[in-house]
Amino acid sequence: MTSRLEHPLHEALGQIVAAEQLVSTPEVLANYSQDKSPFPPLVPAIVVRPGSVNEVRDIMRLAGHHKTPVNTRGGGFSLTGYLGECVEDTIVLDLRRLNRVLDIDAVNFTATAQCGIIMKDLSDQVEAAGLHVHTVGIPIGYTTLGGVLSGVQGGGYPASMCVSGTGLYHLLGLEIVLPSGELLRTNAGGANVHRSQDFTRGGNAPDLTSMFVGDGGCFGIKTEACVRIHPRPQEMAAGCFDFDDFDCLWAALLALTALPELPYESIVILESRPWSLFYFARGTQPTILDQTLSDIEAVLSNNGGRKSPPALQEQALDVGAAEPAYQDLFVNVDRGLLAFVAGKKEFPSVFKQVRELLDREIESRGLDELGVGLMVYFSPMLRHSIYTTISIIFDVDEPGSREAALDLQCRGYEKVVALGACPEPHQGYSSTVNASAWSPEFRQLMTGIKQMLDPERLLNRGLWGL
Ligand SMILES: Cc1cc2nc3c(=O)[nH]c(=O)nc-3n(C[C@H](O)[C@H](O)[C@H](O)COP(=O)(O)OP(=O)(O)OC[C@H]3O[C@@H](n4cnc5c(N)ncnc54)[C@H](O)[C@@H]3O)c2cc1C
């Protein structure tokens, strides 16, 4: 392993970025060693913080010339660790200096931003223009636009995913630095060189933008993205209903998601005894919103639900609007996150089997005595699927607790894939679990694309087993 101060390209990288943007001191490198998972830390050899697209391109050309791997990094909020293959001599590219909003277009309802921007900064600037951009439900203050578009299935899950869908539904075009250092525009300026602005995806060619969504960053480095933005009603209302058993809860959810007009912006179901279903709606006028809530509550009552106690009702707005108090509940807890999406019809069986696996392991190995426990919630994603997160909480001070949580997390993802469902993270370890289920034909195509774009396997080497 190369000594931290002797990375072979240290001097050459110093010709591309200013000295202070080159990190090789052990104390600072340590900050880059860990994501938000129980996976063990991997300290990188060197970190570079480019401040322009041209610097990113020069770094890729240099890396290509020396066949040195490059690992892209945004906010470091990944869920399933870094790949061992990405450590030795790997250059870690921290993209958070590419953080400008380039355009907010209130006529076409689009925002164009550099991909290292923190989601909250993007959101704040779009909100200042009186509009809304879909970002992420929880870690809005930490994750980057590029990290979420790359590292999450479907390009990310916003708080309003129940009705807005994933980031991909709102993404119009990307600017990408390819492993060769070339610059690709997937839409305006690329698929049509005469077009200066993105307004529809795949307008002049097959939709190549999607190919880079949820790729974990293995096909290219996203430097710019154009996304759709929206007006948003400001009045909010929320509530919570309890259900004594899963069957009633499920019947209520099926009924709600089958309504011709979805009356809610968000539904969050917390597994507890009884089950709690939080509902959250927006509207332009309080009176209309009152009616919307009554409509939701009628469906819930008709299916055996009852209003939750006041303590839960009081949390409903925080949960629905993903307010900071609710976000902190997740961000500041040590846990392994088992997050996945299943078809709505398939969900009850998938969920039951994953839960049974985890419960069996916790009980038979006495893991609760190590401080390992579960926290579960799920939400409908549009009408067709269910997004679930099972937090595997551990106790950092209890020897063996982190390792046990990690083991449960890995086995959980293996089970999810074996049951035909989809892990949320498209990064680190989970990419290899996903790839284990690829058909030979699919693998051949993916290998061919990687080989064409990145013959030296420079970018995020080992992701998807490529
Ligand atoms: C507590 C918690 C709650 C979460 N809740 C949500 C949620 O509500 N909704 C949601 O969508 N996600 C959620 N996530 C998942 C999180 O959004 C993803 O892990 C996301 O990928 C992290 O973004 P990041 O900027 O931190 O990227 P990183 O963790 O730094 O990188 C993630 C992956 O993307 C690649 N990458 C990063 N930037 C680029 C780029 N510019 N170009 C190409 N590849 C790149 C990296 O190489 C890596 O493979 C949550 C995560 C945590 C820890």
Side-chain angles (χ1 to χ4, degrees), residues 219 438 442-451 464 466:
F219 290 150
W438 289 353
F442 193 87
R443 180 180 307 281
Q444 193 180 9
L445 182 65
M446 289 292 285
T447 308
I449 295 171
K450 177 74 174 170
Q451 170 70 24
W464 308 107
L466 298 173

Side-chain angles (χ1 to χ4, degrees), residues 31-47:
N31 295 334
Y32 288 87
S33 65
Q34 186 83 56
D35 66 353
K36 297 298 282 183
S37 73
F39 276 77
L42 287 173
V43 184
I46 196 162
V47 175

Side-chain angles (χ1 to χ4, degrees), residues 342-389:
K344 194 165 66 178
K345 202 169 51 175
E346 292 77 15
F347 170 78
S349 162
V350 172
F351 179 65
K352 184 164 173 277
Q353 293 185 64
V354 172
R355 270 311 310 252
E356 279 172 2
L357 169 78
L358 299 176
D359 288 343
R360 205 168 45 239
E361 289 295 318
I362 290 174
E363 198 186 323
S364 67
R365 291 157 62 186
L367 299 182
D368 44 353
E369 282 166 28
L370 294 181
V372 174
L374 305 179
M375 189 167 83
V376 181
Y377 82 86
F378 60 87
S379 291
M381 212 281 285
L382 299 176
R383 292 181 195 270
H384 61 271
S385 60
I386 304 287
Y387 168 89
T388 307
T389 75

Side-chain angles (χ1 to χ4, degrees), residues 15-96:
Q15 308 283 317
I16 298 174
V17 298
E20 66 270 21
Q21 306 306 344
L22 209 51
V23 177
S24 57
T25 50
E27 306 76 48
V28 190
L29 287 174
N31 295 334
Y32 288 87
S33 65
Q34 186 83 56
D35 66 353
K36 297 298 282 183
S37 73
F39 276 77
L42 287 173
V43 184
I46 196 162
V47 175
V48 191
R49 299 189 286 226
S52 72
V53 177
N54 279 339
E55 287 182 0
V56 176
R57 300 180 68 188
D58 287 345
I59 292 165
M60 287 316 298
R61 288 195 195 102
L62 178 74
H65 185 71
H66 293 275
K67 302 191 187 342
T68 302
V70 174
N71 195 4
T72 325
R73 183 167 164 125
F77 256 58
S78 327
L79 299 167
T80 57
Y82 301 122
L83 291 167
E85 254 200 278
C86 288
V87 173
E88 189 99 352
D89 281 353
T90 298
I91 300 168
V92 169
L93 268 194
D94 176 347
L95 289 161
R96 285 174 294 180

